[in-house]
Amino acid sequence: KGYMHINDSFQFGGDVDVNISDWLKLPPGFEARPLFTFRFQRLAFLVQDGEQYDYFPYKNEAIEGDSIRFRQDWYTYMIGMRGSYSAKMGKYMTVKIKGEADWGPALGYNIDEHLRRNGRETYEKSMGNALYFLAGVDMVIAKTSTIGAGVDYMFIRTSGSHRWWDATPLNNEYAPIDTSTRDGVNVWSDQLGLTMHASYAF
């Protein structure tokens, strides 16, 4: 365990949807939009001033300074459905309830740089599935002001390969190590987000 310093972490994405409400002959106020979406995420951090535990025999060792630099990238390509229902609430307010559900393949890439091991790095490459859900509500006031809130959840489960590279094992007492395995290599992520927003149209 240790303290973590967040490095450059971000996400971006884009989507294309089409309104099929008229084709489905939905009642007024309902909207249905099938979509394709792409998302890229990067999580990066640096582990500092931690403790290392050994269990055979049990002991713990304080590690000062930087110890591990970690980076995780996710690529998701999903299809899904986006829907909403809008209802007038009086003369000046419209309430819009919206939701979304997406599914598709996910590709993951991890790298751990063991900074205190002089050249040891581990990598994971994995592939699997991702699910994404969103629910929210917007209130439009006098057609110009909008306030809203939402909750979204991303579920990623993948499996793949693990590679261990060590350029200088035990301070050059042994030859460099480069080995890989696919046994029991599972990588996953559960992401929950809460958002609030406000806008004004001029």
Side-chain angles (χ1 to χ4, degrees), residues 1 81 193:
K1 65 180 182 179
M81 180 67 74

Side-chain angles (χ1 to χ4, degrees), residues 51-154:
E51 287 185 88
Q52 178 171 288
Y53 292 86
D54 290 324
Y55 294 96
F56 303 103
Y58 178 82
K59 65 177 182 178
N60 65 308
E61 174 188 0
I63 300 177
E64 297 181 358
D66 301 340
S67 56
I68 294 177
R69 184 181 291 116
F70 174 82
R71 191 183 78 200
Q72 181 180 70
D73 293 343
W74 289 113
Y75 298 81
T76 59
Y77 309 82
M78 293 189 282
I79 57 173
M81 180 67 74
R82 179 179 291 151
S84 66
Y85 173 70
S86 300
K88 296 282 290 184
M89 306 292 288
K91 186 176 181 180
Y92 298 106
M93 180 181 294
T94 300
V95 175
K96 183 177 183 179
I97 300 171
K98 55 188 181 180
E100 183 179 331
D102 307 327
W103 169 86
L107 304 176
Y109 300 92
N110 293 359
I111 178 172
D112 293 276
E113 298 178 56
H114 299 251
L115 303 178
R116 304 178 68 87
R117 299 291 186 176
N118 297 322
R120 177 181 295 182
E121 297 178 352
T122 56
Y123 307 84
E124 286 83 35
K125 294 182 180 180
S126 61
M127 179 182 297
N129 295 285
L131 292 169
Y132 176 79
F133 302 99
L134 176 145
V137 60
D138 290 345
M139 291 187 294
V140 183
I141 304 169
K143 298 183 179 181
T144 57
S145 301
T146 302
I147 58 174
V151 57
D152 67 300
Y153 173 65
M154 175 82 87

